Amino acid sequence: MFATEELSARRREIEDKLKQEEENLSFIKESLEKSDQLTKNMVSILSSFESRLMKLENSIIPVHKQTENLQRLQENVEKTLSCLDHVISYYHVAKDTEKIIKEGPTGRLEEYLNCMDKIQKAVEYFQDNNPDSPELNRVKSLFERGKESLESEFRSLMTRHTKPVPPILILDLISGDDEMETQEEMSLEHLPESVLHDIIRISGWLVKNGRNQDFMTVYFQIRSVQLDRSIKGLKDHFRKNSSSTGVPYSPAIQNKRKDTPTKKPIKRPGTIRKAQNLLKQYSQHGLDGKKGASNLIPMEGHEHDLRVKHLCDTLSDKHGPAAGRDDVFDIEIDAYIHCISAFVKLAQSEYQLLTEIVPEHHQKKTFDSLIQESLDNLIMEGDNIVSAARKAIIRHDYSAVLTIFPILKHLKQMKPEFDQVLQGTAAGTKNKLPGLITSMETTGAKALEEFADNIKNDPDKEYNMPKDGTVHELTSNAILFLQQLLDFQETAGAMLASQETSSSATSIYSSEVSRRLLSTYICKVLGNLQLNLLSKSKVYEDPALSAIFLHNNYNYILKSLEKSELIQLVAVTQKTAERSYRELIEQQIQTYQRSWLKVTDYILERNLPVFQPGVKLKDKERQVIKERFKGFNDGLEELCKIQKAWAIPDMEQRDKIRQAQKTIVKETYGAFLNRFGNVPFTKNPEKYIKYQVDQVGEMIEKLFDTSA
């Protein structure tokens, strides 16, 4: 019974589900029918909308096309009117701008340039569209007139505002590199800023629209004159204000010098002039034979500059007004050296200015033309110096080469800056400075070689020999000349190198090669000097005086070498030079000492007869002793009288020679006097024993001293 109830329940459940499904199916069917009806309604609506839209489109498109055509017609009318206005404006350009063009650009440059642009456009329009129009000639005429006014304004601005750079500013600019390295680089304001702006605008317009380069010619002509006047003004400044104490700089630079590091200044030729004076004296009096013995006695124990001053003062006393001429020449050389530096600095400044005004593709050519006059004047002045040096060398005035040295040294120092400044200029412009340097090197080398030859060939004349055996002026001049080379070692070495023709020679010489060449040259001069001195010494009839002469000269050479860097320079190629001179000096001392043998030989024991002590002397023996005393006395007196007038300027050497000779003579005479002083060889012993040993020493102590 329980199972039957369960089955009945499941049947009812299934029936309920079936009934529910039937209801769902009925609902779905009903929904589908409604959806179909809605779809049909929508299709009907869309079909109706499409039909209406097509009707609307067919009505609007013609209207749109008509409107578009009307807009295009309106735009064409406006463009036509604009073109007509533009064309008509060209016919009014001449009238609108004529007044401004006639009045010129002064004071209203921008407005003037705007007018010129309008005229330029009008000219182009009429040339392209109506070349037969009379209006073309009018605007072209106006354009040319305006262009001429701009060129005239350019020239006027350049002329009115271009002025030479004051010498003081140039000196400040030169000294800026050497004495104010920590300061900002100095620059020159060649033109006021407003004027420069106008010039740049005019030049830019002329290049772009004027198609005319005449203004560049005007520019370089005006600036070239200014550059040349600036350099000449510096030279005049030196002539008026320079003194032997230095170059006048501006107060600003003087103050800055105290606190800023400095480089070695340009060497002034004043000290060189002293050597030139001495060499002139040698050339004019030594070779020409118009003067007797030299009184140029070297002052041993003093510094070189003091000795040079002493010699120079001696010369000044003899030549008088020539010293003033020498000072003027010093200023000229000093001015030339500074003008070289000034040219480089001013040319650099000019190029900087030029780059702002002249178009890039014309800058190098314009700059080349701008600097030509000033550069040619400097080179010509340098050529004149070389020419004067060559003439002086022909006259055997070798002092001229000393003038070239500081100039040549400065030119070579400035050459890198020269090359940089002249970069891009014509080859002829670039080669001017190297040509001058080569000319100076060749002339200097010739002077050096001829000086060495003349040292060797200086004639042996009695009137030209110092009577007291002191240092010959040839020696002092030669050494002084060589000492001047120390400040220009590389320059002198380059001079000598320029004459090298060996296959190993090159155009570039290192400082070491230059030093070696100069060392070889100095050794050659010293060798020639030694040969000449040996020849001159033979002029003396007294071998002792000849020895004193050679001793003095060798000693002077050695001391001079030691006091300067010459000894180190000589040692580059001659390691034993110092020892050789000491040996030569010692040889001459020994030769001199042999002159006393004729005095001491009388009293040497080996030359005396043997006497028996306590035995009465024979008449012959007494006579021998008398002759010995008399011979010694006479010889001593004669030598002291003669040698007292001789000179040994070196106090140390003088005392050394005196002491050595005094020792030898006193010992020999003392031994002789001890042996025969108490021997009764005469009734008048004071007649023969005239001097005691100390007295003999005192007499020898007075040798080489005319004041004793």
Side-chain angles (χ1 to χ4, degrees):
M1 186 174 175
F2 176 78
T4 302
E5 290 177 357
E6 183 178 355
L7 288 173
S8 296
R10 283 187 67 83
R11 188 184 309 120
R12 285 193 300 273
E13 183 180 349
I14 290 171
E15 287 176 354
D16 291 338
K17 287 183 178 181
L18 289 174
K19 186 178 179 180
Q20 183 68 35
E21 290 292 332
E22 287 176 358
E23 290 176 354
N24 289 337
L25 288 173
S26 175
F27 177 75
I28 291 172
K29 184 177 180 181
E30 185 180 353
S31 296
L32 288 173
E33 289 174 355
K34 289 180 179 181
S35 178
D36 288 340
Q37 185 62 38
L38 290 172
T39 299
K40 290 178 182 179
N41 293 335
M42 182 61 70
V43 169
S44 176
I45 292 170
L46 289 174
S47 297
S48 176
F49 180 77
E50 182 179 7
S51 174
R52 292 177 181 179
L53 186 62
M54 289 180 64
K55 291 179 181 180
L56 179 63
E57 183 177 352
N58 291 332
S59 300
I60 292 299
I61 286 176
V63 175
H64 175 72
K65 289 182 178 179
Q66 290 177 3
T67 303
E68 189 178 42
N69 290 335
L70 288 173
Q71 288 177 341
R72 187 179 297 112
L73 288 172
Q74 183 181 3
E75 289 176 358
N76 289 338
V77 170
E78 290 176 353
K79 288 181 180 179
T80 302
L81 290 174
S82 176
C83 289
L84 287 173
D85 290 340
H86 182 68
V87 170
I88 293 171
S89 69
Y90 288 131
Y91 287 86
H92 294 153
V93 165
K95 179 181 177 182
D96 294 342
T97 61
E98 186 173 14
K99 180 181 179 182
I100 295 176
I101 297 302
K102 286 182 178 180
E103 291 177 355
T106 303
R108 50 179 177 183
L109 180 61
E110 292 301 326
E111 182 183 4
Y112 192 89
L113 292 178
N114 290 333
C115 290
M116 289 297 293
D117 289 338
K118 292 178 181 179
I119 298 172
Q120 171 77 356
K121 292 177 181 178
V123 170
E124 293 173 354
Y125 170 79
F126 288 119
Q127 286 178 337
D128 294 339
N129 299 282
N130 191 4
D132 297 328
S133 171
E135 196 67 25
L136 174 61
N137 293 330
R138 185 179 179 188
V139 291
K140 283 181 69 175
S141 174
L142 197 60
F143 181 79
E144 291 299 324
R145 182 173 181 176
K147 189 172 67 173
E148 290 175 1
S149 296
L150 282 174
E151 292 174 348
S152 177
E153 179 70 6
F154 183 90
R155 179 188 294 273
S156 177
L157 288 173
M158 290 293 301
T159 303
R160 290 201 314 269
H161 297 282
T162 294
K163 301 184 183 302
V165 181
I168 292 298
L169 288 184
I170 298 177
L171 291 172
D172 291 356
L173 189 66
I174 295 172
S175 64
D177 286 346
D178 294 338
E179 301 179 2
M180 294 191 299
E181 293 180 343
T182 59
Q183 304 292 326
E184 295 183 359
E185 184 178 354
M186 292 185 62
S187 60
L188 297 175
E189 185 184 73
H190 294 285
L191 298 169
E193 187 174 351
S194 59
V195 174
L196 178 60
H197 176 267
D198 287 351
I199 289 175
I200 293 173
R201 289 285 289 124
I202 294 174
S203 66
W205 191 93
L206 289 173
V207 170
K208 182 180 179 181
N209 303 302
R211 298 182 181 86
N212 192 330
Q213 300 177 7
D214 290 346
F215 79 94
M216 299 181 199
T217 302
V218 171
Y219 176 83
F220 85 69
Q221 288 176 344
I222 294 174
R223 297 304 301 175
S224 177
V225 171
Q226 177 271 341
L227 178 60
D228 191 53
R229 288 173 62 191
S230 296
I231 294 176
K232 288 179 178 178
L234 177 63
K235 188 180 298 184
D236 292 339
H237 178 77
F238 266 87
R239 289 170 178 166
K240 294 176 182 177
N241 300 298
S242 286
S243 65
S244 60
T245 56
V247 181
Y249 293 89
S250 74
I253 291 299
Q254 291 285 6
N255 293 335
K256 291 176 183 176
R257 284 178 172 182
K258 299 176 182 178
D259 302 319
T260 54
T262 61
K263 293 182 180 179
K264 186 174 182 180
I266 299 171
K267 183 176 181 65
R268 288 176 60 82
T271 55
I272 293 177
R273 174 60 48 191
K274 298 176 181 178
Q276 288 178 314
N277 288 337
L278 292 169
L279 293 172
K280 272 184 182 174
Q281 185 188 34
Y282 159 61
S283 302
Q284 297 170 356
H285 298 282
L287 292 181
D288 295 341
K290 297 180 181 179
K291 187 166 176 62
S294 165
N295 15 353
L296 296 179
I297 300 175
M299 300 176 67
E300 297 292 337
H302 291 71
E303 294 298 326
H304 166 65
D305 287 342
L306 294 177
R307 183 171 65 253
V308 173
K309 182 178 185 302
H310 166 76
L311 298 176
C312 186
D313 291 342
T314 302
L315 183 63
S316 297
D317 292 341
K318 298 175 182 177
H319 291 271
R325 293 193 298 271
D326 291 338
D327 289 340
V328 171
F329 191 70
D330 286 347
I331 294 171
E332 291 294 327
I333 297 301
D334 206 9
Y336 182 71
I337 289 174
H338 280 78
C339 285
I340 293 292
S341 298
F343 172 80
V344 172
K345 295 300 179 184
L346 292 175
Q348 289 173 342
S349 183
E350 286 292 341
Y351 187 75
Q352 292 174 358
L353 177 64
L354 178 142
T355 55
E356 298 184 64
I357 298 174
V358 177
E360 183 176 0
H361 55 287
H362 292 291
Q363 289 173 2
K364 296 296 184 182
K365 183 178 179 181
T366 304
F367 180 68
D368 195 343
S369 301
L370 190 155
I371 62 173
Q372 279 303 315
E373 182 176 0
S374 298
L375 181 59
D376 286 344
N377 288 338
L378 286 175
I379 298 300
M380 182 175 65
E381 190 171 350
D383 289 338
N384 290 339
I385 293 172
V386 173
S387 177
R390 287 172 178 164
K391 292 178 181 178
I393 292 169
I394 294 174
R395 300 193 308 269
H396 302 293
D397 176 12
Y398 301 103
S399 63
V401 72
L402 296 174
T403 300
I404 293 178
F405 273 109
I407 297 175
L408 179 57
K409 180 179 180 180
H410 188 65
L411 287 176
K412 297 185 82 169
Q413 288 175 341
M414 296 298 296
K415 188 176 183 301
E417 291 188 61
F418 252 98
D419 293 342
Q420 184 179 4
V421 169
L422 301 182
Q423 187 177 8
T425 57
T429 303
K430 293 179 183 177
N431 293 333
K432 287 180 179 180
L433 182 68
L436 178 59
I437 289 176
T438 300
S439 179
M440 285 191 172
E441 284 184 339
T442 302
T443 302
K446 181 180 179 182
L448 289 174
E449 290 302 321
E450 289 199 12
F451 178 78
D453 292 340
N454 273 273
I455 291 294
K456 181 179 179 179
N457 300 321
D458 185 61
D460 306 330
K461 302 292 180 134
E462 185 175 353
Y463 59 73
N464 201 33
M465 295 294 292
K467 292 181 171 56
D468 56 2
T470 190
V471 178
H472 197 280
E473 63 181 349
L474 176 65
T475 302
S476 60
N477 290 339
I479 293 299
L480 198 57
F481 184 90
L482 295 180
Q483 286 174 335
Q484 299 302 318
L485 301 184
L486 289 175
D487 290 319
F488 308 97
Q489 294 184 33
E490 289 193 17
T491 304
M495 283 182 177
L496 298 169
S498 67
Q499 302 305 302
E500 290 287 304
T501 57
S502 64
S503 58
S504 61
T506 61
S507 59
I508 301 176
Y509 287 84
S510 66
S511 58
E512 184 59 34
V513 174
S514 297
R515 186 174 173 83
R516 180 168 291 275
L517 287 171
L518 184 57
S519 174
T520 301
Y521 172 77
I522 291 174
C523 291
K524 177 182 178 180
V525 172
L526 293 176
N528 290 350
L529 178 60
Q530 183 176 340
L531 291 174
N532 193 288
L533 291 173
L534 282 171
S535 178
K536 289 184 185 302
S537 67
K538 297 175 182 178
V539 172
Y540 294 110
E541 296 179 358
D542 191 335
L545 181 55
S546 176
I548 290 296
F549 170 77
L550 290 176
H551 165 273
N552 284 334
N553 283 272
Y554 292 153
N555 183 66
Y556 178 81
I557 293 171
L558 177 60
K559 288 297 178 68
S560 298
L561 294 179
E562 290 176 335
K563 286 181 181 179
S564 63
E565 296 179 17
L566 281 174
I567 192 66
Q568 289 90 345
L569 199 54
V570 170
V572 172
T573 52
Q574 292 291 337
K575 304 292 185 184
T576 62
E578 185 175 358
R579 185 181 67 190
S580 298
Y581 273 112
R582 294 193 186 281
E583 291 174 353
L584 288 172
I585 292 170
E586 195 59 37
Q587 289 174 9
Q588 299 311 317
I589 292 176
Q590 294 174 5
T591 301
Y592 163 75
Q593 289 175 343
R594 285 197 288 271
S595 69
W596 282 82
L597 292 179
K598 64 181 180 181
V599 176
T600 56
D601 277 352
Y602 282 104
I603 55 177
L604 286 175
E605 186 174 351
R606 67 172 182 270
N607 296 329
L608 294 174
V610 179
F611 300 102
Q612 295 296 328
V615 179
K616 185 178 179 181
L617 296 176
K618 298 178 182 180
D619 290 343
K620 183 178 179 181
E621 293 173 337
R622 285 196 294 270
Q623 186 60 34
V624 169
I625 295 173
K626 290 178 182 179
E627 289 175 355
R628 300 300 187 196
F629 270 108
K630 186 177 185 304
F632 173 79
N633 293 336
D634 292 346
L636 177 65
E637 291 169 355
E638 180 184 2
L639 281 185
C640 287
K641 179 181 178 181
I642 294 173
Q643 296 183 7
K644 183 179 181 180
W646 296 355
I648 299 180
D650 187 334
M651 183 180 298
E652 181 181 345
Q653 287 290 315
R654 184 168 64 242
D655 292 342
K656 175 184 174 181
I657 293 174
R658 284 174 177 171
Q659 188 60 40
Q661 200 58 49
K662 186 166 62 173
T663 300
I664 295 172
V665 176
K666 283 179 68 176
E667 288 179 357
T668 306
Y669 182 65
F672 179 77
L673 192 60
N674 286 336
R675 183 174 179 184
F676 296 103
N678 296 321
V679 174
F681 65 91
T682 179
K683 295 179 180 179
N684 301 308
E686 66 279 357
K687 179 180 178 182
Y688 297 97
I689 307 177
K690 297 173 66 175
Y691 306 105
Q692 295 300 314
V693 174
D694 290 340
Q695 290 177 311
V696 171
E698 291 174 358
M699 293 176 68
I700 296 176
E701 194 66 35
K702 296 178 182 179
L703 296 178
F704 318 117
D705 187 358
T706 56
S707 63

